[in-house]
Amino acid sequence: MQARFSTIFQSLQVRNYRLFASGQLIKLIGVWMMFIAQDWLVLELSDDSATALGVVVALQFTPVLLLTLISGRLADRYDKRMLLFIANAFWTVLSLAMSLLVVTGLVQLWHVFVFAALLGTANAVETPVRQAFVSELVGTRLLPNALSLNAAVFNSARIVGPAVAGLAIAAFDVGPVFMVTALSSIAPLVTVVQMRSSELHRAPLPPREERAAATVMDGLRYVGRRADLLLPMVVMSVIGMSLFNFQLTLAALAKTVFNTGAASFGLLSTTLAVGALIGALAGTGRRSRPSVWLVLGSAIACAIFGTLVGLAPTYWMVVALLPPTGFFMVYFAQAANQRVQLGTDAAFRGRVMALWVLVFLGTNPVGAPLIGWVAETFGAGVSIWAGGLVSLVTALLALAWQLRRDGARVRFRILPMPRFYVTEV
């Protein structure tokens, strides 16, 4: 048991990664608290409009759609550690400004829209750089474990953040929650400064001429030539757009379908995150690149459980279905992430991971307004199960394509029924 425990958390033995993970955990707890408070604030300011909630989510992720590929190019050209510091500093300033508006009672709906768009800009720069920076923290040998622990950190924050936010909103309203978010965003700034550059696993930056020649189109062409990278990205883009909108749909489900309060909404987000955390930890023992079959199998399971969540008739049935949904969401996303990152040459990693972030997060601006409109017009449950069905069809089509490409066939064999004989004794 002790050996297994040390294997799960072996990347934490690296000092720089330990600093990185602790700073991210503190920040992300605050971020998830902010997401819950922001969603609740939008519903209050818009008279429970799911469409307004969809607009906020779209504004939050539109910069990812527009800027992520450029950020990936920056990650391949400049010091990733410095880029992380700049992006997180921008995030901190924005969070402080927004918290002051909320605490003073001056906040209006358009303030939330602007805030979401600006935070999305910081996120568009920070996320691909952070994804590519992990390999410099631990090296190739520990990279699968570190990526899984990143997902565990993210989902641990999803457990703690919504649960605390739901209780805090019920007790103190949304203002203090935004203030905590602003303070927690300082943690990554401190930990990045404390890292030791001499212990980073980084190759020297290429000459200035080569860095200038590193274009976004080169990265796109690189992925276009690699079917093993392209398939998980395509599947992730569709599932991310149609099903990974629980930030929006669970808020609408809790408030408009089951008529519950902020604490119950927090419980839905927490149960989803519990399953997601287990899914992340399940991948920490992985030592090699995941197979395409693992990626597609987990995508199919994710789509099935997502569909069942939308069809569930009661609040407590939704609570019961969210943990396995969260498990397969993260297990699929993490397996796809590892398949992409471990199959990419170091010279292209920043641009490829930027494209990954684009399909993982950048599809939200396309899907969120549509999902919000479906939720408001036909009900939040419909918006969830419809997204689940679209995801399931996509995963099955991808499976069929991969089977055909490999020349494999799925064979079903009917086993003969066992025969039983009665003899006299």
Side-chain angles (χ1 to χ4, degrees):
M1 178 65 72
Q2 185 175 358
R4 172 64 179 164
F5 186 83
S6 62
T7 299
I8 291 175
F9 297 103
Q10 59 183 318
S11 292
L12 293 177
Q13 298 172 7
V14 179
R15 179 182 181 274
N16 281 344
Y17 181 79
R18 191 164 60 246
L19 286 168
F20 171 82
S22 60
Q24 286 298 310
L25 179 61
I26 295 171
K27 175 190 173 182
L28 288 172
I29 289 174
V31 169
W32 278 104
M33 291 178 66
M34 183 270 291
F35 282 157
I36 300 299
Q38 175 184 272
D39 292 349
W40 213 251
L41 180 63
V42 169
L43 291 173
E44 288 180 350
L45 294 175
S46 65
D47 195 22
D48 294 342
S49 172
T51 301
L53 202 57
V55 170
V56 169
V57 174
L59 289 171
Q60 194 168 293
F61 290 105
T62 294
V64 176
L65 184 64
L66 299 176
L67 302 175
T68 295
L69 294 179
I70 298 174
S71 301
R73 185 188 180 206
L74 293 176
D76 284 335
R77 294 180 64 184
Y78 301 107
D79 187 334
K80 299 178 184 64
R81 182 183 175 194
M82 181 58 65
L83 291 173
L84 278 179
F85 183 88
I86 294 171
N88 279 294
F90 184 50
W91 180 289
T92 300
V93 172
L94 290 173
S95 297
L96 286 170
M98 184 63 186
S99 64
L100 289 175
L101 283 174
V102 178
V103 169
T104 56
L106 299 176
V107 67
Q108 299 179 34
L109 186 59
W110 71 268
H111 291 144
V112 185
F113 290 162
V114 173
F115 173 67
L118 291 175
L119 278 184
T121 302
N123 197 37
V125 174
E126 191 263 355
T127 303
V129 175
R130 171 166 45 84
Q131 290 272 345
F133 187 52
V134 176
S135 63
E136 295 187 3
L137 292 170
V138 297
T140 303
R141 184 180 67 86
L142 290 177
L143 185 57
N145 177 260
L147 292 174
S148 295
L149 285 181
N150 281 358
V153 167
F154 180 81
N155 288 289
S156 296
R158 287 181 66 183
I159 293 172
V160 177
V164 173
L167 295 174
I169 292 171
F172 308 109
D173 206 2
V174 294
V177 176
F178 276 95
M179 187 61 70
V180 170
T181 295
L183 296 176
S184 68
S185 65
I186 299 173
L189 299 176
V190 176
T191 56
V192 165
V193 170
Q194 291 179 328
M195 290 180 186
R196 296 170 182 164
S197 298
S198 61
E199 296 177 7
L200 292 174
H201 299 258
R202 55 166 54 158
L205 286 173
R208 185 181 298 273
E209 296 79 11
E210 292 185 21
R211 282 187 277 163
T215 66
V216 171
M217 289 305 301
D218 287 337
L220 294 177
R221 281 191 288 266
Y222 176 81
V223 174
R225 293 192 299 266
R226 297 280 303 276
D228 61 321
L229 303 181
L230 194 58
L231 182 66
M233 286 192 178
V234 170
V235 176
M236 185 70 251
S237 66
V238 176
I239 294 181
M241 179 172 60
S242 58
L243 186 59
F244 282 20
N245 289 286
F246 284 112
Q247 177 190 343
L248 185 163
T249 53
L250 289 184
L253 195 68
K255 194 168 179 64
T256 64
V257 176
F258 299 121
N259 299 313
T260 58
S264 295
F265 171 36
L267 178 61
L268 292 181
S269 297
T270 299
T271 54
L272 181 73
V274 167
L277 175 59
I278 297 172
L281 293 176
T284 55
R286 194 172 291 135
R287 292 292 175 270
S288 59
R289 192 183 184 206
S291 70
V292 67
W293 311 113
L294 180 67
V295 173
L296 295 177
S298 55
I300 291 170
C302 169
I304 290 173
F305 278 103
T307 303
L308 293 175
V309 168
L311 295 173
T314 65
Y315 174 84
W316 290 110
M317 190 174 293
V318 172
V319 171
L321 286 168
L322 283 175
T325 303
F327 176 93
F328 285 109
M329 278 177 57
V330 170
Y331 198 78
F332 156 62
Q334 195 59 39
N337 184 323
Q338 291 174 346
R339 182 162 178 79
V340 169
Q341 188 154 182
L342 291 172
T344 301
D345 296 331
F348 288 91
R349 184 166 288 127
R351 281 165 287 177
V352 172
M353 294 316 297
L355 185 58
W356 167 259
V357 172
L358 178 63
V359 302
F360 185 60
L361 298 177
T363 51
N364 283 83
V366 180
L370 177 60
I371 294 295
W373 176 81
V374 172
E376 189 167 346
T377 305
F378 303 103
V382 176
S383 69
I384 298 174
W385 66 251
L389 288 180
V390 170
S391 300
L392 181 59
V393 170
T394 300
L396 291 174
L397 288 174
L399 177 62
W401 181 88
Q402 186 67 41
L403 287 169
R404 182 176 180 181
R405 183 174 185 269
D406 290 354
R409 295 180 181 177
V410 179
R411 296 180 179 177
F412 297 94
R413 187 176 63 177
I414 300 176
L415 298 176
M417 291 293 293
R419 298 179 180 179
F420 298 93
Y421 300 93
V422 179
T423 59
E424 294 183 3
V425 178

